[in-house]
Amino acid sequence: DIQMTQSPSTLSASVGDRVTITCRASHTINRWLAWYQQKPREAPKLLIYKASTLEVGVPSRFSGSGSGTDFTLTISSLQPDDFATYYCQQYSSNSRTFGQGTTVEIK
Amino acid sequence: EVQLVESGGGLVQPGGSLTLSCAASGFNFSDYWMHWVRQAPGKGLVWVSRINNDGSILNSADFVRGRFTISRDNAKNILFLQMSSLRAEDTAVYYCARRYGGNSDLDYWGQGTLVTVSS
């Protein structure tokens, strides 16, 4: 099974900050990586797929990069609506694996 | 508008059974692979199972294999998750999600249904 490890688990930041979340796969997944945003009591929302492709409607301040085993999600200028939990997820295999999540909190 | 609406959650005793449903609308259901993902209270997302568009390919996580069965009714646009031998650790919100296909993955999710396993 492919394991996904995200860091940090929690991140405190201010509006306007540049924020980076990292995700590492235990085996190479090429670029089969997605990022989701989840707010309390809501379903996850797809932000990025194929490591760097922005889903339609997602603001351009979100970006993704990486390939193989190491990936990053960057928010270039944090906005009030961005305080949430973010998950990476691999879809290289017949199953799916999520990272443990990174909660972006208000500093 | 794409909509996925889960139902069937509730309180069940350990060892019991429950069937979840996910009603799909706003898209051609029979064209898409579908998934179940769960989230225990205060915890992260965990993948449960998937089914291909015609129901001929099924995959499940090791921890539910032999206990949970995914299925679908393309005539009625409904996805199912039959759960048996339920344990306390199966307590979670269960989401159904659509796989868009191509380079993308789970692009639409339902609002989730809560399953509580407790005596």
Side-chain angles (χ1 to χ4, degrees), chain A residues 3-82:
Chain A
Q3 308 303 316
M4 306 300 292
T5 304
Q6 270 181 254
S7 61
S9 297
T10 308
L11 190 160
S12 296
S14 302
V15 172
D17 283 353
R18 180 181 181 88
V19 164
T20 299
I21 298 168
T22 65
C23 179
R24 174 165 287 177
S26 61
H27 300 82
T28 182
I29 58 171
N30 295 306
R31 292 175 58 80
W32 300 113
L33 185 99
W35 289 97
Y36 298 87
Q37 177 194 65
Q38 187 181 32
K39 297 179 181 178
R41 294 169 297 283
E42 293 186 7
K45 172 187 172 185
L46 178 65
L47 297 177
I48 288 170
Y49 60 90
K50 200 75 186 293
S52 61
T53 304
L54 222 58
E55 177 72 345
V56 171
V58 173
S60 59
R61 62 182 180 272
F62 290 92
S63 64
S65 65
S67 66
T69 60
D70 293 311
F71 302 87
T72 60
L73 171 69
T74 300
I75 309 173
S76 60
S77 177
L78 200 64
Q79 298 302 301
D81 192 49
D82 301 338

Side-chain angles (χ1 to χ4, degrees), chain B residues 43-66:
Chain B
K43 303 297 184 182
L45 301 170
V46 177
W47 179 77
V48 174
S49 191
R50 72 170 186 173
I51 186 169
N52 74 331
N53 59 317
D54 67 7
S56 61
I57 300 174
L58 316 177
N59 299 104
S60 293
D62 287 345
F63 61 84
V64 300
R65 207 162 293 156

Side-chain angles (χ1 to χ4, degrees), chain B residues 24-89:
Chain B
S25 60
F27 64 102
N28 194 358
F29 181 68
S30 61
D31 285 345
Y32 293 86
W33 289 62
M34 298 293 295
H35 293 244
W36 286 100
V37 176
R38 75 183 187 183
Q39 187 170 37
K43 303 297 184 182
L45 301 170
V46 177
W47 179 77
V48 174
S49 191
R50 72 170 186 173
I51 186 169
N52 74 331
N53 59 317
D54 67 7
S56 61
I57 300 174
L58 316 177
N59 299 104
S60 293
D62 287 345
F63 61 84
V64 300
R65 207 162 293 156
R67 299 190 301 128
F68 292 9
T69 302
I70 189 172
S71 62
R72 64 192 298 160
D73 184 335
N74 283 346
K76 296 182 178 178
N77 294 342
I78 303 177
L79 175 72
F80 300 101
L81 186 67
Q82 295 174 272
M83 305 186 295
S84 63
S85 302
L86 284 162
R87 308 164 181 165
E89 54 266 36

